[in-house]
Amino acid sequence: MLRTRLIQAASSAQRAFSTSQKALAAKQMTVRDALNSALDDELARDDRVFILGEEVAQYDGAYKVSRGLWKKYGDKRVIDTPITEMGFAGIAVGAAMAGLRPVCEFMTWNFSMQAIDHIINSAAKTFYMSAGAVNVPIVFRGPNGAASGVAAQHSQCFAAWYAHCPGLKVISPYDSEDARGLLKAAIRDPDPVVFLENELVYGTAFPVDDKVADKDFVVPIGKAKIMRPGKDITLVAHSKAVETSLLAAAELAKKGIEAEVINLRSIRPLDTATIFASVRKTHHLVTVENGWPQHGVGAEICARIMEDQTFFELDAPVWRCAGVDVPMPYAKTLEAHALPRVQDLVDAVLKVLGGKAGKAVAANK
Amino acid sequence: MCAAIVHLAKGSFWCPGVWKSRLGLGSMMKPSCVRVVMRCSGARSILERNILCRIIGRHKCSCLTLENTFKCYDLENGPTMDVELSRDDALAMYTQMLEVRRFETLAGNYYKERKIRGFCHLYNGQEAVAVGMKQRLRSCDSVITAYRCHAWTYLMGVSMHEIMGELLGVRSGCSRGKGGSMHMYSDRFYGGNGIVGAQVPLGAGIALAHRYRKDNGVAVVLYGDGAANQGQVFESYNMAKLWCLPCIFVCENNHYGMGTHVRRASAMSEFYMRGQYIPGLWVDGNQVLAVRSATQFAVDHALNHGPIVLEMSTYRYVGHSMSDPGTSYRSRDEVQAAREKSDPITSFRSQIIALCLADEEELKALEDKTKKQVDSICKKASTDKEVELHELHTDIYSKNVDGKIRNVSGFNLEHIKLAEVCFGKPRRTPACEINDVPVGAAIDVAKAKERKAEQEAKKAKEDAKGKGKGEPKGADSKPPKGEDGDKKKSSATETPAAKTPPPTKKPPAPKK
């Protein structure tokens, strides 16, 4: 409850600062509804699109993301599969090779490890190996990362794993606008797309523009969004960590530090242009993710900024805030401490800003 | 019409000369069509099948009986026992088998000369399976196989020049040197897959696409005895049966999974029964006529009754791949015996002669001609230039939204897209038949293009009306909505007629 309020406060702060929205947001849309409506639109628009996965049809979706779609489109377009990830992921890839446009749901991305051979070897690499003869217009989607109390085997974040592979596009939306626009873009994309949702935001309602409801509203893949402009430090995050970053930015604002929060939206391709432009403005960077630190998204951003002229714009090293490098524990307190919290981000920012933090505070008073 | 009834004892053939002289036939008379009879042995199957061979007597056509060709599992009726074989078909199949054999031999030679690198899995000894099956597949059917794929690639329409080019890594290769031995594709041929068993669910997915589109096609999914134990194969069986997919699972049992004999790898080596709830058919994979007959049966079954599992019992003379001599796990005598007793090419040759479809000289001439042809094609391919360096960063994505591709150091490689053009001709595959939808900023560009196309169509219509011809056909058949700035409307009606094919659309004609 408190969390929802905090998010709404953060979003309204976003609205107040955002330069991209002209009209006031007319309505609220949950991420679940955003995904559902995106699937509905795309199923209606293109005959070749179909959904398959466990419990997507008659159960209305394990997380109710595909609610109502089986009733509307029937057995041919919304297919319940047995619990055989390797098999049905392979079938989905084969159908995509043959010209259909499947949306393959993994109940959670943890189960994708059973099918990872098909995602990488059968889907991602085929266009290249066939010298452009066979493309695989498939979307793999499902909830990724930590949920609540589901422990180690059900809480892993796969952003870094899939973003490692050329041939894939990896998307990690945060709010409803992201979810709807990016899922539509992913389904329309002729390449294999890994769509990493987050279970914890499914039920969260975000204010959306009217244009989001348009049947052809798409968010371009590979472009990050500045959720909250700022001038003192840049926070780059994806998925749930965007929420943490926005909350941390609100906290920092009280201290007189204006943090710019970037919602990556796409992990592969990574929108380094937006990140670098922001760093040129703020000269400080902290990356935030819920996944493990080693070889993670933050590590990639650090490496890229070092390889670019923007490195010389930095006044301090880039810092990563990531999930603790342990398998996810079950107990509530342990779990809470295994992921970056608002206080962790605030501390990291203050550390990166160093003495400047005090100066910024003084300047803003 | 030449006339002869030949009863053949098991494993032997009449010497053509003997019966010709008996019946006073000249060697010039060749029948255009003969009948071949298959005999099914019922041993070890769920349903005991003991069909007597039929003797074709009416016109005294030449007739041949093949022994031990089929075993049925959970099938009421097996393949047709009576088949006809025309001279043209016989010579076509024989030629194809010769070409495949010669090509694989040359590939082996080039590999030893180090012109071909990496993996090279050869099909010597298994030709009858591919050739026999392809005879009864239609242009709307799809095929997917594993890495021992050169023969299939050739039969599915890729020229030998392109296949050899691909093996050699030259620019004229069918995958432009990017794929290699295991990754060759064609219209309705999905490779060439390197991961053992992965092609099986892919193939079931292709069958799902056939069923989805109702285009009357079947998917033929080949795998070996080594792959037959993979879990994903059984997952595919389950879903294929559940959803009644038009899928023909074909286990090419050459009795060795790399260096492991079937009896050491499989607790149950009756692979045609492994489908359990899916009917199965064991076929003598060294008899091209048996394979052909079984395929006809399987296609009918898949279209009308759902999936079926075929097991083609065959043998490979070479090792698993070029790095395997093939003698450490089996004796040379065994290989030699297989060559002598059940070689698909020599046995079919004898059958052709026995059936009076061609004579010795003609076949010899055909063999020489084929050998010369294949040799010259492969020689020419070996003189082509290697694929160019810029292809390293070509066609990673069908639609690249990234900026540049990262090089060894730094992001300075442009993503090049060559996919539309291949050897000067646009390459067509099922996946790119229908235009992809632009994303993001490209939407505006696409809309502008559309409006322009609309205007041109309107203009053409008016011209045609002026000439009294009537309305021109075309993809831009939607009524022009006018140039109103209402973005929503024009984007929503983005030529649905062109983009979305009706489910009953006819399958496209094959590429070449």
Side-chain angles (χ1 to χ4, degrees):
Chain A
M1 189 60 188
L2 176 64
R3 181 158 222 132
T4 324
R5 288 244 193 274
L6 283 171
I7 293 163
Q8 284 176 345
S11 310
S12 44
Q14 161 198 341
R15 236 187 304 144
F17 284 119
S18 170
T19 53
S20 63
Q21 291 170 354
K22 288 183 287 185
L24 281 174
K27 57 186 229 177
Q28 302 271 328
M29 188 192 269
T30 60
V31 172
R32 182 179 287 116
D33 289 339
L35 295 167
N36 185 279
S37 61
L39 290 169
D40 195 355
D41 287 351
E42 294 305 307
L43 281 165
R45 180 180 176 275
D46 189 341
D47 269 349
R48 299 168 294 170
V49 177
F50 69 99
I51 303 173
L52 82 167
E54 293 153 11
E55 312 298 347
V56 292
Q58 297 187 18
Y59 196 81
D60 271 340
Y63 299 95
K64 305 293 179 240
V65 172
S66 52
R67 175 169 35 208
L69 295 176
W70 175 69
K71 268 218 179 80
K72 189 170 173 185
Y73 294 99
D75 281 328
K76 182 182 169 191
R77 311 291 298 284
V78 186
I79 305 175
D80 273 337
T81 60
I83 308 174
T84 51
E85 272 77 9
M86 197 171 193
F88 72 71
I91 283 182
V93 174
M97 282 182 182
L100 300 182
R101 291 189 163 241
V103 177
C104 176
E105 174 174 311
F106 291 117
M107 198 180 281
T108 74
W109 272 96
N110 301 285
F111 314 139
S112 73
M113 284 196 281
Q114 308 219 295
I116 198 168
D117 177 64
H118 282 297
I119 302 174
I120 309 296
N121 280 325
S122 307
K125 298 179 182 171
T126 297
F127 193 67
Y128 189 80
M129 291 193 300
S130 66
V134 181
N135 71 319
V136 186
I138 189 169
V139 176
F140 297 100
R141 53 161 290 271
N144 175 56
S148 195
V150 292
Q153 291 181 343
H154 290 75
S155 305
Q156 187 169 336
C157 176
F158 288 87
W161 279 39
Y162 291 113
H164 185 63
C165 303
L168 286 180
K169 290 170 181 163
V170 180
I171 300 177
S172 188
Y174 162 57
D175 59 16
S176 306
E177 183 186 325
D178 295 350
R180 185 170 151 79
L182 287 168
L183 185 55
K184 288 166 82 67
I187 294 174
R188 296 181 190 196
D189 196 282
D191 290 311
V193 178
V194 163
F195 196 84
L196 306 168
E197 301 159 6
N198 189 293
E199 190 205 322
L200 297 172
V201 291
Y202 277 158
T204 310
F206 292 92
V208 288
D209 248 7
D210 285 335
K211 70 170 191 216
V212 173
D214 182 52
K215 269 197 290 147
D216 284 312
F217 170 75
V218 285
V219 167
I221 298 173
K223 290 278 168 281
K225 179 179 178 184
I226 299 178
M227 302 295 283
R228 180 193 191 283
K231 56 177 176 53
D232 294 317
I233 187 166
T234 303
L235 294 173
V236 178
H238 71 98
S239 189
K240 195 79 166 69
V242 174
E243 178 193 295
T244 322
S245 307
L246 286 170
L247 292 170
E251 278 293 316
L252 288 166
K254 288 184 206 153
K255 294 192 195 322
I257 297 171
E258 293 303 319
E260 179 152 296
V261 176
I262 297 180
N263 171 6
L264 277 174
R265 286 180 162 174
S266 296
I267 315 295
R268 187 177 183 110
L270 202 51
D271 187 1
T272 46
T274 305
I275 302 173
F276 293 168
S278 177
V279 167
R280 272 183 232 119
K281 194 169 59 165
T282 64
H283 309 292
H284 299 85
L285 178 60
V286 170
T287 70
V288 191
E289 64 196 296
N290 281 0
W292 291 320
Q294 187 157 340
H295 311 294
V297 176
E300 178 65 17
I301 294 173
C302 288
R304 292 220 193 173
I305 205 166
M306 285 211 292
E307 292 176 340
D308 191 82
Q309 288 297 310
T310 315
F311 169 74
F312 297 103
E313 301 279 346
L314 285 169
D315 286 347
V318 180
W319 197 253
R320 301 174 292 165
C321 284
V324 176
D325 202 13
V326 296
M328 183 64 66
Y330 164 67
K332 192 160 183 180
T333 315
L334 294 180
E335 189 184 35
H337 282 76
L339 297 170
R341 295 159 298 153
V342 174
Q343 194 51 50
D344 295 324
L345 293 197
V346 169
D347 292 342
V349 166
L350 291 174
K351 216 171 194 172
V352 168
L353 285 174
K356 296 195 194 94
K359 286 189 197 149
V361 167
N364 276 314
K365 284 223 168 80
Chain B
M1 184 83 133
C2 182
I5 303 168
V6 181
H7 293 284
L8 299 171
K10 192 169 173 176
S12 71
F13 296 104
W14 283 95
C15 163
V18 172
W19 59 260
K20 264 187 211 165
S21 61
R22 237 197 223 170
L23 300 161
L25 290 165
S27 57
M28 293 305 289
M29 275 188 70
K30 294 183 189 84
S32 54
C33 184
V34 299
R35 308 197 88 164
V36 181
V37 177
M38 315 283 176
R39 178 182 290 196
C40 169
S41 83
R44 306 188 76 196
S45 60
I46 294 294
L47 296 177
E48 188 74 26
R49 313 271 294 122
N50 222 337
I51 300 171
L52 299 170
C53 79
R54 256 176 254 140
I55 298 164
I56 317 301
R58 194 163 58 89
H59 285 300
K60 297 173 89 194
C61 298
S62 44
C63 159
L64 176 68
T65 308
L66 300 178
E67 299 278 341
N68 292 326
T69 41
F70 304 121
K71 287 184 237 186
C72 301
Y73 170 75
D74 201 12
L75 280 169
E76 276 298 312
N77 307 300
T80 326
M81 292 291 128
D82 274 343
V83 293
E84 294 201 352
L85 176 64
S86 75
R87 188 183 129 82
D88 291 336
D89 281 350
L91 292 178
M93 289 199 283
Y94 187 64
T95 313
Q96 283 177 335
M97 288 203 287
L98 286 173
E99 285 170 334
V100 168
R101 178 71 65 92
R102 185 65 194 152
F103 180 89
E104 296 289 72
T105 311
L106 281 177
N109 294 344
Y110 282 169
Y111 194 95
K112 289 176 196 146
E113 292 169 29
R114 298 200 172 183
K115 291 184 183 159
I116 298 177
R117 299 161 48 243
F119 290 126
C120 193
H121 306 87
L122 301 177
Y123 210 62
N124 305 50
Q126 298 182 215
E127 299 85 1
V129 177
V131 169
M133 289 200 80
K134 186 68 177 81
Q135 277 286 312
R136 285 293 180 256
L137 293 180
R138 305 147 307 152
S139 60
C140 56
D141 294 328
S142 308
V143 174
I144 189 168
T145 183
Y147 42 75
R148 205 175 298 278
C149 61
H150 306 159
W152 275 106
T153 314
Y154 172 59
L155 294 170
M156 292 301 285
V158 182
S159 72
M160 275 193 273
H161 182 109
E162 284 180 288
I163 303 176
M164 187 50 85
E166 185 58 32
L167 293 175
L168 296 165
V170 296
R171 62 185 72 180
S172 58
C174 57
S175 298
R176 304 181 74 85
K178 307 266 279 288
S181 166
M182 300 186 290
H183 307 294
M184 299 195 262
Y185 304 83
S186 175
D187 206 12
R188 299 193 190 274
F189 177 60
Y190 298 91
N193 287 278
I195 307 297
V196 172
Q199 76 275 16
V200 181
L202 295 180
I206 296 165
L208 186 131
H210 280 299
R211 184 157 181 271
Y212 192 95
R213 290 202 176 101
K214 299 191 179 76
D215 61 8
N216 210 38
V218 299
V220 177
V221 185
L222 298 123
Y223 53 97
D225 47 286
N229 294 310
Q230 278 259 322
Q232 54 189 325
V233 171
F234 295 89
E235 296 184 16
S236 308
Y237 286 164
N238 182 41
M239 285 183 271
K241 186 67 177 174
L242 267 180
W243 301 333
C244 203
L245 301 180
C247 194
I248 303 175
F249 296 102
V250 183
C251 177
E252 288 178 294
N253 182 7
N254 58 20
H255 304 284
Y256 290 91
M258 203 154 143
T260 309
H261 192 273
V262 155
R263 79 180 94 83
R264 287 203 304 129
S266 300
M268 174 178 162
S269 48
E270 284 81 20
F271 297 107
Y272 67 110
M273 292 194 206
R274 288 291 206 89
Q276 197 180 345
Y277 36 79
I278 298 182
L281 183 67
W282 179 98
V283 186
D284 181 353
N286 291 322
Q287 296 292 341
V288 68
L289 297 173
V291 172
R292 192 180 72 149
S293 182
T295 307
Q296 180 65 61
F297 175 76
V299 170
D300 293 334
H301 189 279
L303 285 172
N304 300 311
H305 306 292
I308 183 171
V309 179
L310 301 183
E311 178 184 342
M312 300 283 176
S313 181
T314 180
Y315 198 83
R316 60 165 160 81
Y317 303 140
V318 293
H320 163 74
S321 71
M322 286 308 298
S323 47
D324 169 28
T327 47
S328 56
Y329 46 86
R330 55 187 186 178
S331 66
R332 286 184 201 277
D333 295 335
E334 182 191 308
V335 183
Q336 198 55 31
R339 269 195 205 269
E340 280 162 11
K341 279 197 247 154
S342 52
D343 184 281
I345 295 180
T346 49
S347 61
F348 192 48
R349 189 181 201 276
S350 321
Q351 286 164 15
I352 292 176
I353 292 173
L355 292 165
C356 246
L357 292 170
D359 57 20
E360 183 69 46
E361 298 97 56
E362 191 182 351
L363 291 178
K364 190 80 181 50
L366 184 62
E367 282 154 27
D368 289 337
K369 178 171 152 229
T370 310
K371 183 165 183 279
K372 278 205 186 74
Q373 243 173 1
V374 175
D375 285 356
S376 82
I377 292 172
C378 293
K379 188 139 184 265
K380 186 159 183 301
S382 71
T383 59
D384 284 345
K385 282 209 209 119
E386 201 188 355
V387 62
E388 287 178 72
L389 192 53
H390 68 257
E391 302 246 11
L392 175 66
H393 44 101
T394 301
D395 290 330
I396 297 125
Y397 294 99
S398 178
K399 186 172 299 258
N400 182 42
V401 292
D402 212 338
K404 306 223 178 194
I405 305 295
R406 195 174 190 285
N407 204 342
V408 170
S409 299
F411 283 86
N412 53 18
L413 293 176
E414 278 296 330
H415 180 274
I416 299 174
K417 187 170 162 95
L418 282 180
E420 297 100 2
V421 179
C422 199
F423 314 128
K425 288 180 290 184
R427 193 190 272 268
R428 309 274 296 169
T429 68
C432 67
E433 260 168 52
I434 297 141
N435 297 328
D436 287 309
V437 178
V439 168
I443 290 179
D444 298 313
V445 174
K447 278 193 212 138
K449 250 199 224 163
E450 251 183 55
R451 268 182 236 131
K452 198 166 163 232
E454 251 177 82
Q455 282 173 331
E456 281 167 12
K458 222 172 35 179
K459 202 164 162 250
K461 227 200 274 182
E462 281 161 16
D463 291 339
K465 266 195 187 141
K467 291 184 186 160
K469 269 196 194 138
E471 281 190 17
K473 294 178 289 181
D476 333 282
S477 53
K478 70 170 166 97
K481 285 261 170 179
E483 302 318 303
D484 56 307
D486 192 343
K487 272 188 170 181
K488 283 187 192 173
K489 264 201 191 147
S490 55
S491 62
T493 52
E494 212 169 354
T495 55
K499 296 268 190 285
T500 323
T504 50
K505 177 182 159 167
K506 279 182 68 202
K511 171 163 73 121
K512 281 165 187 154

